[in-house]
Amino acid sequence: MEIVSSIKPVSAIAVSLVAALLILLTGERSRNLREAWTILAAVLKFGIVVSMVPSILDNKILEYTLVSISPGLLIQFKVDALGLFFGITASFLWIITSFYSIGYMRSLKEHAQTRFFMCFAVALSATMGVAFSANMFTTFLFYEIITICTFPLVAHKETPEAIKGARRYITYLLGTSVAFQLVAVILTYNIAGTLDFSNQGILNEAAEKVGNTFVTVIFVLYMAGIAKAAMMPFHSWLPAAMVAPTPVSALLHAVAVVKTGVFVVVKVVLHIFGINLLRELGLGTALAYFASFTIVVASIVALKQDNLKRRLAYSTISQLSYVILGVALLTASSITGSVMHIVLHAFGKITLFFTAGAIYVAAHKTNISELDGIGKEMPFTMTAFTLGALSMIGIPPLGGFLSKWYIGTGAIEAGQLPIVLVLITSTILNACYFLPIVYAAFFKAPSGIHHAASHAPAEPFTVKSGTHENLDILAVPLMVSSSGTPSLCAESHNKNPRANSGTLSAPQAAKDENGGIHEAPPLMLGPLMLTATAALVLFFYPSVFLNLARLVVAGVTGGN
Amino acid sequence: MELIIAKYNYWIYIMLMMIGFYAMIAKKNLVKKLVGMNIFQTAIILFFVSTASKKGGATIPIIHKGQEIINPAHYMNPLPHVLMLTAIVVMVSTFGVALALAIMIYKKYKTLEEDEIIEILRNRR
Amino acid sequence: MNIAEHAPILIIVLPLIVSLLNTAVGLWKRDLCYPIAVATLGVVVLLSFNIMGSVIDAGKIHYRLGGWAPPWGIEYVIDHLNAFIAIIVSFISFIVAIYSKRSIEQELTKSKIPYFYSIYLLLTTGLLGITVTGDVFNIYVFLEITSLAAYALIAIGDDRAAMASFNYVIMGTIGACFYLLGVGYLYIMTGTLNMADLSRLLPGLYNSTVILAAFAFFVVGIAIKIAFFPLHRWLPDAYTHAPSTVSALVASTMTKVGAYVMIRIMFTVFEPRFSTEILPMSEILGWAAFAAIIAGSVIALGQTDIKRMISYILVAEVGYIVMGVSIGNRTAFTGAVLHILNDAFMMACLFLVIGAVVYRTGTRNINDFNGLELNKKMPLTMAAFTAVALSMIGVPPTAGFFSKWYLVLGAVVAQKWIFAAALIFSSLVNAILFFRILEKIYFRAAAEHSYDDGHETIVRNEAPVSMLVPIYVMAAGILVLGFYSGDIISKVIQFTVPEGF
């Protein structure tokens, strides 16, 4: 392992901070300029992150010390495979989400958009900070910044309900991090004398001195303190945070925030405690069963949620615990699976959230029970939804299958057959709460509540109930081909005479007198199809991510 | 008994101090509080000054012109007196400020009874 | 004559003389008082930095007043701790003085403004005097100068201020008298008032009950002066009703200087082992600090007046400092001294922000903030407030995090888990307190909520520049100090840790 000093990690973080400042300065004066900053920053950030890939695959580690506050307290960045993995996922999805959120915010004429985009940019900076941090102090710092700068995003609507949700959000996230995580960090520092991440863990020697009970307590404090991973019983902030605008739910509560949580869990497990120590103490298995509990229970709770976003939230809770489960099993395959799941779930879940937002913008619906027949109005959206759902369930050829496969293999390697059972149960439950939505959307007759569209005559993309197979066969390749290029989406979208892609008119204004396709604006549609496709593509071409995941595993297990 | 007589100056100062302390805490009238404060402070001055004296008829430390032999045992310790001069200045100014405040309060509430003032404040809310 | 050589006395004499001068100048030209006061304090700041520089270069400074050799004459002894506190005091007085102009013009009749600045300078004189002197009786005198000035300044405030100030006089006098008694007892036993001399003579007398009594008097006396729980009752009243400027100054400096005196008495005049081995004072103070933190935080939760709320937080913060001192190891002590600095900045900034809000809106009731649209009216002020709020909660990389880090780490090293828990608890309560306010500032009340923005015209009514700049100096200080806390510790604070830790 060669350590190279590089300013790239810092610039990846700084770029969106600068953007946040520019966004604030531009403000409402020029919306287009303001949004341009967001997109520019997103693209730049992704570019910087990707430019680090070759060196990492070369077995190098990029390092940069920003500030050394006092010995042991450094703001230091170190890009390794795991961090880069997370960094690529988050920064790539930010580009897509930027387009999507511009569409969303403008369509709904949301207020305080400057604040929204600014906080978003800061949140992404902090996410990169967590991804690239070299020690637990830096991690904690950015972890807290994420919490705080996403608070205004959750409370964005400023309704009593939103403020209540935001309160719960901040109470759980800030509360647990100060009450447990900070204490755990201080205890770690006290007994280990350092907070730097290390492939072997830093507590091995200390554990002999202070005894196993003490180390176990620290471990429990860490797990309780990382509420962003939404492990039960610290999960209820996530459904509460669903009051946020959908782009926030999509990127932050499916990717940045919650993945930060699981990422920190992975870091703590692999780099603070180390595989050997956890194996010795049997804590890995304990954590695995804890995560299993969350997986199953959250899935069951998800079953009875009628609000689409809440159902997705519970699904997220359950899926996040897959990552924890994978890493807790402490075997090579399961860790690979766990790391892969960070990215695969991200693509799947963001698609689902995008569709939820698209449905809200286009049809103003939030509940699953109202979605009957919506597939005819929004065929692209709902097809993307189907792909996302299948990926969540883990059906090949979608990405979600890969990670589940690896985690399952890992469980067998670890000799934990009950865990395999958990995986199967959860897969069935996933199917139970996703497939009915797909079914209702495509095959059920629209309910009476929904107006005009249901009475509309058939039009190009509406398919009668009987011919559903055709639709699937038709739509999938269509989307694969079209989604990569937003212009194509716009083109296909132009079939709807009302929604003019150039001016981004609010689609709900275009009351569906001519009925038929009634999609969300192209700025929203493009992203969601892109991510859906990515979920598919990742199954066939996971090599970049898989290589990175192998590097992670090689590092921590000492193999290769 | 022996102890009380031998150290009578301390006992007196403690008694005075407690009287003053009681008045400051327990009295409701603001001026009475201030009187208590004065007693309290004076007790401390007495205590300091009394520590300066020495047994065997020591007197004030004024040295006659041409005096050759100076025996410290013949003179009181001047330092506590000097300290207390400073302390008296401090205490007088404290008293002055406190009286000024009492006047301000009286102008505002037309009373110096603490519970009446509290009553007025409560009603105002 | 080298001026820098006389800096220790100049930082006291200069504001003292100008304080008197100001009154005279005020009779002639009232508008001159403000620039004179600010300029003086500016010079004092430079002098304090100069002192710090020479302490870092050459170690302890001994300055003999009037050339008299100690223990007969008064000696000013300045080491790292004194110089550190002197910088805090002078810097904050300087910044708050700049701020005071507009705020005090609103709160005070014009004819009294010269007197205000006179007393203001007197307060600074007293605080700096306490800081630099090496003589226990001298501390008493300066303590009383400070307190007298503070009584007068607080009485300027709103219509309840006089009563609050009166209660403060009573409590403050009791505290000062206890301190004086302690001095008396020490003098009886040792015959000296010089700190260095005392620390040399005292160890032989540690088992004397008189010394025990003296120590107890000292601690109780100072505890009253710094509003240490359960002797804190005067503070919230006094600081709530004082004028904004005065609250900012006294809240950030007086308690800190009081804490400094406590450290001096406990660890310089007496040896650290005295308060652990002979009298379990550290233990007692630690638990009282525990109570202060919990009680201060909990009571703050119930307040609707923001100044009162912060006053109670201050009670808790004093608990932080005393706890750090009482834990008795290097880390915790470092945390305590660092917290003196950080808390001074945070308190000053909070009260300055509130002063600006009161100046523009006239309210300090938290519930009123809801409809004020403060985030639109005073965006810059509110941004600063957010920064301080985060520091109070202890979010990295703000300064508040680092002192808390060292304090908690110190408690952990000493294996005093309950103390660590109290510190964490207080952070959580601060989070609730400040997010409750931030929420009111940044999010509109439900009733007025509407989706279209920009139709309403909210007049931007930012605080005047003379208020905004000090606020930003403080807020920036909170961020910068966070990053430099390592340097501050390695250059200054580590030398303040008493031997035997």
Side-chain angles (χ1 to χ4, degrees), chain A residues 276-335:
Chain A
N276 293 333
L277 182 63
L278 288 182
R279 236 182 234 156
E280 228 170 80
L281 298 176
L283 287 173
T285 320
L287 183 63
Y289 280 95
F290 224 83
S292 307
F293 175 80
T294 306
I295 292 176
V296 175
V297 174
S299 302
I300 293 171
V301 177
L303 276 175
K304 61 169 200 194
Q305 300 298 327
D306 188 38
N307 182 304
L308 179 56
K309 278 174 78 181
R310 282 183 77 86
R311 185 175 286 190
L312 293 178
Y314 276 102
S315 158
T316 307
I317 294 172
S318 147
Q319 298 281 334
L320 288 173
S321 280
Y322 273 89
V323 181
I324 299 174
L325 173 67
V327 80
L329 288 170
L330 304 174
T331 66
S333 314
S334 69
I335 295 172

Side-chain angles (χ1 to χ4, degrees), chain C residues 279-326:
Chain C
L279 198 67
M281 193 51 89
S282 284
E283 200 70 24
I284 296 169
L285 284 178
W287 285 102
F290 172 78
I293 293 173
I294 303 285
S297 305
V298 171
I299 300 172
L301 276 174
Q303 305 305 323
T304 50
D305 183 328
I306 188 165
K307 271 173 95 176
R308 184 171 283 269
M309 180 193 104
I310 291 169
S311 302
Y312 277 108
I313 296 178
L314 177 60
V315 171
E317 301 278 324
V318 168
Y320 277 35
I321 298 169
V322 177
M323 183 178 274
V325 169
S326 73

Side-chain angles (χ1 to χ4, degrees), chain A residues 86 127 143 146 169 173 226-230 235 237-238 241-242 249-265 313 316-317 320 323-324 342 345-346 349 353:
Chain A
F86 182 39
T127 309
Y143 183 97
I146 294 180
Y169 181 79
L173 294 189
I226 309 172
K228 284 199 175 115
H235 65 285
W237 62 269
L238 187 55
M242 289 302 136
S249 312
L251 184 60
L252 298 180
H253 301 137
V255 185
V257 175
V258 290
K259 289 289 149 60
T260 302
V262 288
F263 179 78
V264 177
V265 169
T316 307
I317 294 172
L320 288 173
V323 181
I324 299 174
I342 291 183
H345 170 249
K349 193 44 73 54
F353 272 114

